[in-house]
Amino acid sequence: GAGVSQSPSNKVTEKGKDVELRCDPISGHTALYWYRQSLGQGLEFLIYFQGNSAPDKSGLPSDRFSAERTGGSVSTLTIQRTQQEDSAVYLCASSLEVGGYEQYFGPGTRLTVT
Amino acid sequence: AQSVAQPEDQVNVAEGNPLTVKCTYSVSGNPYLFWYVQYPNRGLQFLLKYITGDNLVKGSYGFEAEFNKSQTSFHLKKPSALVSDSALYFCAVRASSGSARQLTFGSGTQLTVLP
């Protein structure tokens, strides 16, 4: 079966522009996570969606970051007014949550802000 | 708050020798523990997990890990290393109870297996 997919794989944007990153989780997985991986900060949790519950946004670094999950499936992470410190690899993961617990990761989107 | 420590940034081992990648954790209550591997320019691949039961868990590619509650450790092991095992390894933890479901990762250990 298909794994977690993310698009685009690479994104270069100018400082101040908005970007949207997409994640398509494994079919049937009810939980979806966004993480950020950067050299200085390692792997950081950003946001978590579980079914129809309100998302856990506790990891979002600023109000420039937002995410939504439509229809319990595809998710979009939006970064407004990008800054150079936003440059990182953004990873999406999904899990069954009940029973499985392990999270399956997509290949990531490498964001470069110039 | 939960945390993971991987004390070694780099581990080198000769092919055919046993390998160990160390991990200690801190979490409230019982932990769920995971190991992931990352190859260059790739996402994280799940290797194995400890949820409950036997302290020795086996995973993909011949890897295993031992949960030690008293030492709060979850070291990754393999009896005989392969050159193809060379990659970046991450240990992760989450609490078994409470509303938080996200993983907290260690800083990663670069494993190099020398031919």
Side-chain angles (χ1 to χ4, degrees):
Chain A
V4 177
S5 60
Q6 293 185 245
S7 61
S9 55
N10 280 284
K11 177 71 176 179
V12 181
T13 190
E14 292 180 353
K15 178 181 173 181
K17 300 284 190 183
D18 297 353
V19 295
E20 285 189 352
L21 312 180
R22 176 188 168 106
C23 171
D24 210 330
I26 293 172
S27 177
H29 280 191
T30 56
L32 186 148
Y33 307 77
W34 284 97
Y35 294 87
R36 179 169 71 173
Q37 185 175 22
S38 58
L39 280 176
Q41 301 297 323
L43 273 156
E44 304 172 271
F45 163 73
L46 297 176
I47 188 169
Y48 157 61
F49 296 89
Q50 169 58 43
N52 296 321
S53 302
D56 177 352
K57 304 179 182 180
S58 60
L60 294 178
S62 78
D63 59 7
R64 296 186 295 105
F65 288 72
S66 63
E68 62 178 19
R69 189 179 185 191
T70 54
S73 182
V74 172
S75 177
T76 302
L77 177 69
T78 301
I79 309 174
Q80 296 179 310
R81 305 180 303 282
T82 53
Q83 305 294 311
Q84 287 188 331
E85 61 263 28
D86 299 336
S87 296
V89 177
Y90 289 82
L91 294 167
C92 175
S94 70
S95 75
L96 282 170
E97 187 56 23
V98 178
Y101 306 113
E102 63 267 26
Q103 297 175 22
Y104 292 91
F105 284 78
T109 294
R110 182 176 297 278
L111 175 66
T112 304
V113 181
T114 62
Chain B
Q2 53 197 38
S3 65
V4 174
Q6 293 181 242
E8 301 156 318
D9 291 336
Q10 175 83 39
V11 170
N12 296 327
V13 63
E15 187 175 29
N17 282 1
L19 69 87
T20 299
V21 182
K22 296 179 181 177
C23 170
T24 58
Y25 67 90
S26 174
V27 70
S28 296
N30 294 320
Y32 291 157
L33 293 156
F34 306 84
W35 275 101
Y36 286 84
V37 60
Q38 187 175 36
Y39 296 98
N41 301 314
R42 304 281 297 276
L44 276 69
Q45 293 181 29
F46 169 72
L47 273 181
L48 51 77
K49 66 182 178 185
Y50 172 82
I51 301 297
T52 187
D54 287 344
N55 290 342
L56 183 65
V57 293
K58 295 184 183 296
S60 307
Y61 313 119
F63 284 93
E64 57 190 28
E66 186 164 14
F67 170 62
N68 187 316
K69 188 171 183 177
S70 62
Q71 297 186 3
T72 61
S73 67
F74 190 56
H75 301 330
L76 181 69
K77 301 182 180 186
K78 187 174 182 181
S80 179
L82 300 172
V83 172
S84 57
D85 293 330
S86 298
L88 185 58
Y89 290 80
F90 290 95
C91 180
V93 69
R94 59 168 269 197
S96 61
S97 60
S99 59
R101 293 288 183 266
Q102 67 269 24
L103 297 176
T104 297
F105 288 88
S107 55
T109 298
Q110 181 67 49
L111 173 68
T112 301
V113 181
L114 305 168

